[in-house]
Amino acid sequence: MISLVDLSKSFGRFEAVRGVSAEIARGEVVGLLGPNGAGKTTTIRMITGTLPPTRGAVRVDGLDSLDGSIEVRRRLGYLPEGSPLHAEMRVEQYLAFRAGLFAVSRKERRAAIARSMDRCELADVARTRCGNLSKGYRQRVGLAAALLHDPDVLILDEPTSGLDPAQVVALRSLIGDLSDTRTTLLVSHILPEVERTCDRIMVFARGRVRADGAPKSLIERHARAGRLHLEAETSPDALRETLGRALPKASAMCEAVGDGWTRATLDAEGPISDAQRASIARTLRDAGVLARELSVERPGLERVYLDLVEGEAS
């Protein structure tokens, strides 16, 4: 549905996006992660045709985003960050205005507006001026506007900004329902939201895609050292020596936490198995060391994301 071919964008000497290539299928829900300035929003703007690429090409449903700009935009529903609305318009009036921009016929317009308002739960504010809405309602009006023309591709830039927890759950459910018939791109800084919502994640850093895949496969592929947390009744030096016998290739950071106890964080070269944890427990027992914590930190998306972004920054 979306094809990015060696996509690059420069602003003077600054290269915001550098050689991004990807194929995104119909029905996929794809999360775009990355720190501020990583190139996510610039990539989105090139997909929507609001920003021309310096090099490369964007195709949506086989159409070039520049040569077929109007047809491409008819296939896109875009909710930009901040959901810019006409403050003086009432919600129904604004949605009717947006429907006209996307050439929704007068015959179909009333039904399209009613459908979008129902999906986004806007009936209570239909006659309210957009400028008087809360931030959460403004986001919902922006989403309703993006859905009016029943687009093939839905692009959401920080869609849960300003929503309360119940609204976030409702939006996540709506995205899941919509993904049966359309492609969805979700830009967010909230990793748990992306992990729960998306089939696939693309991690951006410094204008490049550093990782691309399903959340579980990203964790398996990019998780680095296993990490173990331990508290034992001994000195830091003695605990470091004891741990060195159990896992010779692991590095341990040990610090005294008072009353004769030491806290250690141990990074291994790979995931720490239950057998290795049992071996550490036996080593501590044989050394006569009392432990009150021995827990393994399982690698998660947040850890993988930080490793990828920090690795690119270094």
Side-chain angles (χ1 to χ4, degrees), residues 121-153:
E121 300 180 354
L122 293 171
D124 292 344
V125 295
R127 301 293 298 162
T128 304
R129 294 186 188 277
C130 293
N132 295 333
L133 295 172
S134 68
K135 188 174 182 181
Y137 268 112
R138 290 173 63 87
Q139 285 293 92
R140 288 154 73 176
V141 173
L143 178 58
L147 292 170
L148 275 169
H149 58 296
D150 198 24
D152 294 318
V153 177

Side-chain angles (χ1 to χ4, degrees), residues 167-197:
Q167 292 167 346
V168 171
V169 171
L171 178 62
R172 189 185 303 139
S173 176
L174 175 59
I175 292 172
D177 293 341
L178 295 172
S179 66
D180 290 340
T181 56
R182 74 199 74 223
T183 301
T184 304
L185 300 184
L186 173 63
V187 181
S188 179
H189 286 95
I190 305 173
L191 270 66
E193 172 189 309
V194 173
E195 189 170 9
R196 290 191 194 102
T197 307

Side-chain angles (χ1 to χ4, degrees), residues 248-292:
K249 295 183 179 181
S251 60
M253 295 178 58
C254 300
E255 61 175 348
V257 293
D259 297 328
W261 290 84
T262 295
R263 179 160 182 84
T265 300
L266 185 143
D267 287 323
E269 289 187 339
I272 297 174
S273 66
D274 290 340
Q276 288 173 310
R277 187 171 62 163
S279 174
I280 293 170
R282 284 193 296 271
T283 301
L284 293 171
R285 182 199 61 195
D286 294 345
V289 175
L290 176 64
R292 64 185 181 189

Side-chain angles (χ1 to χ4, degrees), residues 74 91-92 95-96 99 102-123 126 140-141 143-152 174 177-178 181-182:
R74 285 176 177 158
V91 170
E92 276 187 331
L95 293 177
F102 281 94
V104 178
S105 70
R106 290 185 179 275
K107 182 179 178 180
E108 298 172 350
R109 196 170 299 177
R110 186 181 297 274
I113 292 170
R115 183 174 59 249
S116 290
M117 290 184 64
D118 181 60
R119 280 175 168 173
C120 300
E121 300 180 354
L122 293 171
R140 288 154 73 176
V141 173
L143 178 58
L147 292 170
L148 275 169
H149 58 296
D150 198 24
D152 294 318
L174 175 59
D177 293 341
L178 295 172
T181 56
R182 74 199 74 223

Side-chain angles (χ1 to χ4, degrees), residues 2-308:
I2 300 174
S3 178
L4 310 180
V5 183
D6 195 28
L7 195 62
S8 298
K9 181 63 183 179
S10 298
F11 299 95
R13 295 184 178 180
F14 175 67
E15 199 169 14
V17 176
R18 299 188 277 179
V20 171
S21 294
E23 298 288 335
I24 300 172
R26 185 182 297 273
E28 274 195 296
V29 181
V30 181
L32 275 59
L33 289 176
N36 292 331
K40 308 182 302 297
T41 298
T42 300
T43 299
I44 289 298
R45 289 175 178 167
M46 288 189 283
I47 293 172
T48 59
T50 57
L51 196 63
T54 304
R55 295 186 306 278
V58 177
R59 294 186 181 87
V60 177
D61 200 15
L63 299 168
D64 185 87
S65 65
L66 296 181
D67 295 340
S69 176
I70 299 300
E71 287 301 317
V72 165
R73 294 183 196 208
R74 285 176 177 158
R75 286 163 170 77
L76 301 178
Y78 179 32
L79 173 62
E81 186 176 5
S83 187
L85 308 176
H86 290 291
E88 74 283 0
M89 287 185 173
R90 301 185 191 278
V91 170
E92 276 187 331
Q93 184 184 13
Y94 174 71
L95 293 177
F97 166 70
R98 284 290 299 265
L101 290 179
F102 281 94
V104 178
S105 70
R106 290 185 179 275
K107 182 179 178 180
E108 298 172 350
R109 196 170 299 177
R110 186 181 297 274
I113 292 170
R115 183 174 59 249
S116 290
M117 290 184 64
D118 181 60
R119 280 175 168 173
C120 300
E121 300 180 354
L122 293 171
D124 292 344
V125 295
R127 301 293 298 162
T128 304
R129 294 186 188 277
C130 293
N132 295 333
L133 295 172
S134 68
K135 188 174 182 181
Y137 268 112
R138 290 173 63 87
Q139 285 293 92
R140 288 154 73 176
V141 173
L143 178 58
L147 292 170
L148 275 169
H149 58 296
D150 198 24
D152 294 318
V153 177
L154 189 60
I155 300 175
L156 309 174
D157 196 347
E158 299 291 349
T160 58
S161 176
L163 302 185
D164 63 40
Q167 292 167 346
V168 171
V169 171
L171 178 62
R172 189 185 303 139
S173 176
L174 175 59
I175 292 172
D177 293 341
L178 295 172
S179 66
D180 290 340
T181 56
R182 74 199 74 223
T183 301
T184 304
L185 300 184
L186 173 63
V187 181
S188 179
H189 286 95
I190 305 173
L191 270 66
E193 172 189 309
V194 173
E195 189 170 9
R196 290 191 194 102
T197 307
C198 299
D199 309 314
R200 173 181 169 190
I201 295 173
M202 298 171 67
V203 180
F204 282 71
R206 301 183 71 177
R208 293 191 175 95
V209 175
R210 293 280 288 119
D212 183 356
K216 185 176 180 180
S217 69
L218 286 183
I219 293 170
E220 292 173 350
R221 196 184 324 149
H222 294 281
R224 297 198 297 189
R227 180 168 290 174
L228 180 138
H229 300 287
L230 169 67
E231 279 196 15
E233 193 176 25
T234 186
S235 69
D237 289 341
L239 183 57
R240 191 177 295 109
E241 181 181 347
T242 301
L243 291 173
R245 292 198 297 272
L247 287 175
K249 295 183 179 181
S251 60
M253 295 178 58
C254 300
E255 61 175 348
V257 293
D259 297 328
W261 290 84
T262 295
R263 179 160 182 84
T265 300
L266 185 143
D267 287 323
E269 289 187 339
I272 297 174
S273 66
D274 290 340
Q276 288 173 310
R277 187 171 62 163
S279 174
I280 293 170
R282 284 193 296 271
T283 301
L284 293 171
R285 182 199 61 195
D286 294 345
V289 175
L290 176 64
R292 64 185 181 189
E293 180 185 348
L294 184 57
S295 60
V296 174
E297 179 184 325
R298 303 296 181 187
L301 183 61
E302 181 178 3
R303 175 98 174 272
V304 169
Y305 170 81
L306 292 173
D307 285 346
L308 289 168

